[in-house]
Amino acid sequence: EKLDKFSRNKTGEYAVDICDSGKHLLSIINDILDLSKVEAGKMRFYENDVDLIEICDTSIRLLSNHAKSKDIAISLNAREDLPLVMADERMMQQIMTNLLSNAVKFSLALGQITIDINESPMGDIIINVTDNGIGIARDKIDDVLEPFHQIETSYDKTEVGTGLGLSLVKAFVEMHDGELKIESELGRFTTVSIKIPYNRVIIEKDNCVELPVNFKDAKAV
């Protein structure tokens, strides 16, 4: 009886491992397909009004279990009346989820991750994702934006990755006419900054909505 119970437990563990491996493989395949579509100019791009706070909340929920397993705290700082932006919602969700996933992956136990969303004096929306993890050497920052490139450290041997996340983030940000910057110091912190240009910000004036000048109803390019 004890042997049967042990066998059932091990079978359950194997099933979970197989399921996790399958999800990871599917994620890799989807990332490769997305990157291939971007490079071929075949990525479908649908614009709609997007709530960045909702996007961030969803990403935090998706990464909450991984963060809790490492005792990492995640906080979001943004004003409640932050304007909506005209963007592809799926891409924005993938951008935030990839950035947060990287931050959790390379943060040490009891770490802190913050997401700050602000408006620049020019009206751009600036999103900063900061962690106090292992950091990146300054001469390696450009390298991590290249597809399939992974920085070799003793730490990342315990974490699984493909080196596609930041490449996709950069591509998706640029499809929104935005900019991505990385600031980091080895062993101290990493901040990934995304700028969404002011002409994608939806401004409300006297109960009327002023759409960005480049807005077109759900389009594909």
Side-chain angles (χ1 to χ4, degrees):
E1 183 178 347
K2 289 183 179 180
L3 183 59
D4 288 343
K5 184 177 180 180
F6 175 79
S7 298
R8 287 195 298 270
N9 289 339
K10 296 302 292 184
T11 299
E13 291 177 9
Y14 294 150
V16 171
D17 289 342
I18 292 171
C19 181
D20 288 344
S21 298
K23 289 179 179 178
H24 178 62
L25 180 59
L26 180 61
S27 176
I28 293 173
I29 293 172
N30 287 335
D31 284 351
I32 293 173
L33 289 175
D34 280 346
L35 194 59
S36 299
K37 289 177 184 177
V38 170
E39 292 177 346
K42 300 294 184 181
M43 192 71 184
R44 299 183 70 83
F45 186 75
Y46 297 101
E47 292 183 303
N48 207 339
D49 53 328
V50 175
D51 186 329
L52 292 175
I53 294 178
E54 288 186 2
I55 292 290
C56 290
D57 284 340
T58 299
S59 296
I60 291 171
R61 287 197 301 272
L62 290 172
L63 274 300
S64 61
N65 286 338
H66 192 184
K68 287 179 181 177
S69 70
K70 299 174 68 175
D71 291 322
I72 295 171
I74 304 175
S75 61
L76 171 62
N77 304 313
R79 71 174 212 247
E80 292 183 1
D81 61 343
L82 187 76
L84 304 179
V85 297
M86 199 57 60
D88 184 300
E89 185 171 4
R90 185 185 75 86
M91 289 188 189
M92 293 305 301
Q93 190 66 72
Q94 195 164 350
I95 286 170
M96 290 309 305
T97 301
N98 281 353
L99 290 183
L100 198 55
S101 176
N102 269 0
V104 172
K105 175 181 176 181
F106 291 109
S107 289
L108 303 176
L110 303 177
Q112 176 70 45
I113 298 170
T114 58
I115 305 172
D116 296 290
I117 310 178
N118 297 290
E119 289 182 80
S120 74
M122 298 296 294
D124 306 315
I125 298 292
I126 308 297
I127 305 172
N128 291 321
V129 179
T130 302
D131 67 72
N132 58 354
I134 64 173
I136 307 168
R138 291 184 181 180
D139 61 342
K140 299 294 184 181
I141 289 178
D142 289 340
D143 293 342
V144 301
L145 294 173
E146 295 296 322
F148 301 105
H149 187 94
Q150 291 180 292
I151 300 298
E152 290 293 330
T153 70
S154 58
Y155 175 79
D156 64 16
K157 301 301 183 183
T158 63
E159 296 280 354
V160 179
T162 61
L164 286 173
L166 283 177
S167 300
L168 275 176
V169 168
K170 184 175 184 291
F172 288 167
V173 168
E174 290 177 349
M175 287 182 72
H176 287 83
D177 308 310
E179 296 179 12
L180 180 147
K181 295 181 180 179
I182 299 176
E183 293 184 16
S184 187
E185 187 172 334
L186 198 61
R188 294 194 61 190
F189 76 95
T190 298
T191 296
V192 181
S193 179
I194 293 172
K195 182 179 79 173
I196 300 174
Y198 71 93
N199 59 352
R200 287 193 169 275
V201 179
I202 301 173
I203 303 171
E204 293 188 15
K205 293 184 177 180
D206 300 326
N207 297 323
C208 295
V209 175
E210 183 177 308
L211 295 176
V213 294
N214 65 339
F215 169 64
K216 294 181 181 180
D217 292 331
K219 69 175 182 178
V221 292

